[in-house]
Amino acid sequence: MGRPSLKLQRREDLIRACIQTIHEDGLEGASLARIAKRAGLTAGIVPHYFGDKAELMEATMRHIGGELGREQAKRLRAAASPMERLTAIIEANLNPEQFRPDNTAVWLSFWARVNHSPKLARIQRINSARLGSNLRHALRRLIPDGTPDKDAEVRRVALGLSILIDGLWLRAALDHGGIDPAETKGLALRYLNAELDRLRAR
């Protein structure tokens, strides 16, 4: 594989610098000048790689969302059953890498901006849709065909699990959130197993 082009390398450098600057200075303090300095560039050259700060922020959110997507895809490829697929999805979203301080700082900052930025909102919808689709695919194979209102149950359990994954991540990511990151996987799996037991009992 060839080396990345200089432009691609500079874009990646700026994205990494953006992540670290948000982590250290917060979203409001992450000026283009600070980001560029951390990347070893001048602020005046940043528009050559990103049109403005908003475009750099969007690229950074796509970057961290892409990292999560690739981790999830890797775990799904190794899964041999529907239950293993669901466990892989939970583990990808709640693995220790997702609780790195720089990672959590960026996610929290972007979530706070989603309602004020249509482009960030679109990226978040794509991330959420991918999670929901993967959950429904595995649940559809796991829940027996004879289950009353199977499609509705698949959607309900997938929605509940996706909300729980996001909520557990948020509580564990916040300082003094009350949940240790190591607990999150077990809590999500207990919810899933309780729902599956309830459906089997029917």
Side-chain angles (χ1 to χ4, degrees), residues 163-175:
I163 291 171
L164 184 60
I165 287 170
D166 284 345
L168 287 169
W169 181 89
L170 179 60
R171 287 290 299 273
L174 293 170
D175 288 339

Side-chain angles (χ1 to χ4, degrees), residues 148-158:
D149 300 319
K150 177 178 174 177
D151 288 343
E153 292 290 358
V154 166
R155 290 192 298 272
R156 185 187 61 78
V157 177

Side-chain angles (χ1 to χ4, degrees), residues 54-90:
E55 185 178 327
L56 173 55
M57 295 297 168
E58 291 155 21
T60 302
M61 187 172 183
R62 284 194 296 272
H63 173 80
I64 61 173
E67 286 186 332
L68 174 57
R70 287 187 290 275
E71 176 65 20
Q72 186 166 274
K74 181 182 75 174
R75 291 174 183 265
L76 285 171
R77 285 194 296 271
S81 70
M83 191 63 191
E84 287 183 8
R85 288 182 66 86
L86 289 168
T87 302
I89 294 166
I90 291 170

Side-chain angles (χ1 to χ4, degrees), residues 2-77:
R3 295 178 61 184
S5 68
L6 179 60
K7 184 171 185 177
L8 180 59
Q9 184 61 56
R10 288 287 184 264
R11 284 175 63 90
E12 291 176 353
D13 291 343
L14 285 164
I15 287 171
R16 284 195 293 269
C18 184
I19 291 170
Q20 289 303 314
T21 306
I22 291 173
H23 174 217
E24 294 187 7
D25 302 317
L27 189 60
E28 298 304 319
S31 66
L32 283 181
R34 287 182 179 178
I35 294 169
K37 182 178 180 181
R38 183 178 291 278
L41 302 169
T42 61
I45 203 172
V46 174
H48 181 65
Y49 304 106
F50 297 98
D52 53 20
K53 180 179 176 179
E55 185 178 327
L56 173 55
M57 295 297 168
E58 291 155 21
T60 302
M61 187 172 183
R62 284 194 296 272
H63 173 80
I64 61 173
E67 286 186 332
L68 174 57
R70 287 187 290 275
E71 176 65 20
Q72 186 166 274
K74 181 182 75 174
R75 291 174 183 265
L76 285 171
R77 285 194 296 271

Side-chain angles (χ1 to χ4, degrees), residues 182-202:
E183 297 179 79
T184 57
K185 174 187 170 183
L187 289 168
L189 285 172
R190 279 198 287 276
Y191 166 82
L192 173 61
N193 284 315
E195 287 296 317
L196 293 175
D197 288 344
R198 184 188 65 80
L199 289 171
R200 293 187 189 108
R202 291 174 60 184

